[in-house]
Amino acid sequence: MSGNKHIIYQTFPRLFGNFNSFLVKGGGIEVNGCGKFDSYTPKALDEIRDLGISHIWYMGVIAHSTRSDYQSYGIRKDHNAIVKGKAGSPFAIRDYYDVDPDLAVNVPNRMAEFENLVKRTHDAGMKVIIDFVPNHVARSYHSLMKPSYTDDLGQHDDTTKSFSPSNNFYYLPGQNLTLHFGAKEEDYEYSEFPAKVTGNDCFSASPNKNDWYETVKLNYGIDYQNGKAKYFNPVPDTWHKMLEILLFWTEKDVDGFRCDMVEMVPAEFWHWAIPRVKERKNVEFIAEVYNPALYRDYIHIGRFDYLYDKVGMYDTMRRIIRREAPTTDITILWQQTEDIRENMLYFLENHDEQRIASDYFADHARLGLPGLVCLATLNANPLMIYNGQELGEKGMDREGFSGLDGRTSIFDYWSMESVRRWANSGAFNGGQLSAEQRQIRDYYRKIINIAVNEKAISEGSFYDLAYCNNSGNPCFPADRMMAYLRKAGDELLLILINFDDREHNVRVNIPQNAFDVMKIADNRASRVTELISGEESIFALTPVCPYGASVSAHSAGIYKFEYLQ
């Protein structure tokens, strides 16, 4: 690779290596099966790397609540009433110092199996990202695997106080937790006294089924019931415990953390913790932040490397793909985050969002291809791909706890049809893919590798051509096309993206200002290579003559100009 552009591959081990196609709605692990750390064989990792991937985010590694029974291994069983789905939420952490036993071939050897996965990933030329879930833990939280010198969360809490800076949890003194749904699924009702506050800040002993009732919120020194007063001096006990956890996983040689629901944890904690972690190893921190008003706080104060650009770029791109917004909105979006653009993590799919090919989004993976090109080439910032996205996974299954909603369940034991076909019973050679699935994956591989290997994209400058083509240019459909330049040294790319459902023959104006700002030679003959198709031509760019090209429906053209001698 010529630059440092990150391409992150999000994958859920529970689903990735599960090749079982005989699935039962709501089935347990013994019926539906489960992927393992060992499923990521050297061959599988090489194929992922071949897409152009630089980092793998292994989601759901840390031990979380589940209905599966591991009591024979000394692991306490969770009460069914506080587990969502048979498999449980990977964000309801049960032990910060352990990996999920579901993912191990040999449960007592589970940590070593994870460590081997980290090594295999590094040997394949990729870095490892895991989740850090800082805002909440499972109601059943109890660490069996913590170091002997470490106190457990809540071990010394004063449960007679609703809030204390030295407590790890928030309490509702004198109140029993009451769950009005599913609480009697076992022989005895789930009991908790005093009740703890839920992960989504529900200060009630009777949370409803839409609350994060299976989790409890961690206390970082903010008294939410008294004006959100902050007690950060002395440093709260929770801060120290969470830093210890981050350092524990850093010592497992992971390269980064995707941090869940960051905006529910004060930026001051991250300001204190992240530099201390980076003193040990230069790991990268990715923040799930949804409020654009907080973006800069979590970069400049919190010191995060990257933030989800969900409410901005993802939501806008989704509307454009669905023909609910014009492509001119992209210009508005990048301008809003221009000062922090290298910190923004772009994506078209993740575990929270509906699959592009689902009935609820675009109904076909092909319609998402122009969005892929745009997010991969617009800036040097990272791009994330969700396992199955590159195969056109539809997510149209009724898995159990997760109904038919166009998402791939994170709560159930299941497998993905497209990934099974690609995995081909562990051969990982795409042997069962349809011709269409192969085409989608090939397109993803081409675009991602162009993005990481072309210096103009991975580290070059950017010039948006929207303003000089959106009005007064009858040969450019401004509401369905995007055009911009990327340049590094003498390498110049013109990128044309067609979100429309028909081919367009366009003539693109490149103004004098672009020639001046980007130092483009006027009217100098160049070899022009369209990088996706490989087709070549000769052309001399000049501001007095538009560049003409034909761009197929739901596709793009990436034109590389190289001066002829």
Side-chain angles (χ1 to χ4, degrees), residues 220 222 230 232 239 262-275 294 296-304:
Y220 283 83
I222 299 179
K230 297 179 179 181
F232 297 161
W239 291 28
V262 162
E263 65 195 76
M264 300 183 78
V265 175
E268 292 89 343
F269 163 74
W270 301 108
H271 179 86
W272 175 84
I274 288 177
L294 297 176
R296 288 158 186 82
D297 285 351
Y298 282 93
I299 293 171
H300 301 312
I301 300 174
R303 302 187 180 183
F304 275 90

Side-chain angles (χ1 to χ4, degrees), residues 106-152:
N106 180 3
V107 173
N109 199 42
R110 57 192 180 276
M111 185 60 79
E113 291 186 24
F114 170 70
E115 291 167 347
N116 288 336
L117 172 61
V118 173
K119 184 179 185 304
R120 286 198 305 278
T121 306
H122 288 161
D123 289 345
M126 294 175 288
K127 294 185 176 182
V128 172
I129 296 171
I130 66 168
D131 294 291
F132 178 56
V133 186
N135 175 66
H136 51 269
V137 295
R139 287 201 178 271
S140 58
Y141 188 89
H142 173 69
S143 179
L144 297 173
M145 306 302 290
K146 66 180 178 62
S148 58
Y149 57 81
T150 300
D151 290 333
D152 212 358

Side-chain angles (χ1 to χ4, degrees), residues 198-210:
T198 67
N200 66 320
D201 301 355
C202 176
F203 283 78
S204 168
S206 301
N208 66 51
K209 63 181 180 181
N210 294 319

